[in-house]
Amino acid sequence: MELQSKESFVFCSTAHVIELTGRAARTLAELRAGIAEVTGSSIFHHTFGALQDRFFAAQRFTSDFARWAAEVLQDWPVAERLALMHPTEFPSIRSLREHVLEVIDDRLREGEPPAPAPHGREFHFSQSISLVYPAGYEARTLAQLRQGIRRASDRTLFFHLIEARLRIGRCTTDLSCWLSEALGAPHLANRLDRLDFLVPSTEELRQQALAALEGSP
């Protein structure tokens, strides 16, 4: 008989309202100053949000900061270093922000900075307000969890596999927490935490998650 948790896992999705902050940057130093001072929701928008908007599409840069440095400033050294940073490696916006600042500071200490961005191609800081709502289905067994993952939208997958790390404050997901704490399947939770988030499509991430959940709890 399949194990059944007393606590349901509720699948959720999100909608994001984007607004401009009124702050812009034309140089790497101005970008650095903005990153240091804007809200956490702005950092989220330009890193996690950028990743979500181009959900796991095969691309060279995984943040707006890296993309602007490469395409507008044509500062390939800092762009490449920022590209090596993946948002899912950080358990908090604070640690992510600090790492981005360290990368830019190292570049600024190296010598002559690149020329300012042309007028009209400034970096405009935006921020997002996240609205979370139930997706309309939940799970109390492993089979139901697999079925929920099969039917989940891109935004639902992103919310539970990526954004959850920030809400929990450590490099794990709320799916993993439920598996370990509510269903008593820590070995499946460990498998889920080892997913490769640099896959070229949402469908590949979904298939990875389903494969990780094969077997008995």
Side-chain angles (χ1 to χ4, degrees), residues 117-149:
H119 287 289
R121 301 207 65 189
E122 299 87 353
F123 185 94
H124 292 277
F125 286 93
S126 301
Q127 59 188 11
S128 62
I129 301 171
S130 297
L131 306 174
V132 181
Y133 57 91
Y137 50 95
E138 55 189 54
R140 294 185 65 188
T141 67
L142 181 59
Q144 290 171 355
L145 189 70
R146 292 193 193 106
Q147 184 57 36
I149 291 172

Side-chain angles (χ1 to χ4, degrees), residues 26-27 38 40 44 69 71 87 94 98 113 149-150 163:
R26 288 191 63 212
T27 67
V38 294
F44 175 88
E71 296 178 357
R94 178 179 178 179
E98 288 173 352
I149 291 172
R150 289 189 186 97
E163 193 172 340

Side-chain angles (χ1 to χ4, degrees), residues 196-211:
D196 177 11
F197 295 106
L198 294 178
V199 293
S201 71
T202 307
E203 190 55 36
E204 288 195 33
L205 182 68
R206 188 193 314 275
Q207 293 308 316
Q208 272 194 54
L210 290 171

Side-chain angles (χ1 to χ4, degrees), residues 9 11-14 52 55-56 135 137 145-165 167 173-175 192 195 197 201-210:
F9 182 87
F11 285 90
C12 294
S13 192
T14 59
Q52 183 178 32
F55 197 75
F56 299 106
Y137 50 95
L145 189 70
R146 292 193 193 106
Q147 184 57 36
I149 291 172
R150 289 189 186 97
R151 69 181 290 190
S153 67
D154 288 356
R155 288 191 176 274
T156 294
L157 282 177
F158 186 93
F159 181 74
H160 291 299
L161 292 175
I162 306 296
E163 193 172 340
R165 294 164 178 256
R167 290 182 287 109
T173 72
D174 53 5
L175 286 165
L192 205 60
L195 296 185
F197 295 106
S201 71
T202 307
E203 190 55 36
E204 288 195 33
L205 182 68
R206 188 193 314 275
Q207 293 308 316
Q208 272 194 54
L210 290 171

